[in-house]
Amino acid sequence: LSDDRLYTAEAVAPYVSLTARFLKRAAAADTIQHIYVGRFPRWSAQNVRDIVAGVPHRPRPRKRR
């Protein structure tokens, strides 16, 4: 994986041995490393390395509306 790109759940799934559906749901629940581009979750190469290594995810604080 290239460090200067963001990847979809379908592209990341084979690297982390998880399904794309699981990745999308985990991102929505904010339980794994991810980045949102608009309303779509994406993963950087560092995010993938962290998921594989088991680095604990620190959820971002939610904005109050």
Side-chain angles (χ1 to χ4, degrees):
L1 296 175
S2 176
D3 284 330
D4 61 343
R5 291 190 59 200
L6 295 176
Y7 298 91
T8 63
E10 291 77 15
V12 169
Y15 292 101
V16 296
S17 299
L18 298 168
T19 65
R21 183 178 180 185
F22 177 85
L23 289 168
K24 290 175 186 176
R25 287 183 174 202
D30 202 19
T31 58
I32 62 169
Q33 308 286 353
H34 66 284
I35 300 166
Y36 270 101
V37 176
R39 65 184 189 122
F40 301 103
R42 296 291 186 255
W43 289 265
S44 67
Q46 184 62 50
N47 292 146
V48 173
R49 287 191 290 269
D50 289 346
I51 293 168
V52 171
V55 174
H57 174 60
R58 286 184 278 151
R60 292 185 178 162
R62 301 237 178 221
K63 293 181 182 177
R64 290 188 171 200
R65 292 183 182 192

